[in-house]
Amino acid sequence: MQFMKAALEEAKKAYEKQEVPVGAVIVCNDIIIARAHNLTETLRDPTAHAEMQAITAASIILEPNILLIVNICYC
């Protein structure tokens, strides 16, 4: 549940920036190693989705057993 809470916190950040409220966290060995939220409008980049931002942030330390949690809030 703590991981979903972290993803929801990221979604809130996106919402506050008038982005689609999606957040993502990458978890490895029960530790959040990356977190991100949608930035497509802010960056004017159609690939700046939360999932991609989180994967990019974690790309240096990615390991085989990664859990990616993504939430989508229809507000």
Side-chain angles (χ1 to χ4, degrees), residues 27-30 62-67:
V27 177
C28 181
N29 297 324
D30 291 328
L62 286 178
E63 295 182 15
N65 296 318
I66 299 296
L67 172 62

Side-chain angles (χ1 to χ4, degrees), residues 11-62:
K12 184 177 178 183
K13 291 178 189 177
Y15 179 79
E16 291 169 352
K17 294 178 182 176
Q18 298 182 348
E19 295 276 357
V20 176
V22 175
V25 297
I26 296 181
V27 177
C28 181
N29 297 324
D30 291 328
I31 298 170
I32 295 174
I33 62 168
R35 58 177 64 220
H37 54 275
N38 272 1
L39 291 170
T40 55
E41 298 297 324
T42 301
L43 299 178
R44 295 183 176 262
D45 179 353
T47 67
H49 290 273
E51 306 89 331
M52 296 303 295
Q53 296 295 312
I55 291 168
T56 299
S59 64
I60 296 172
I61 55 175
L62 286 178

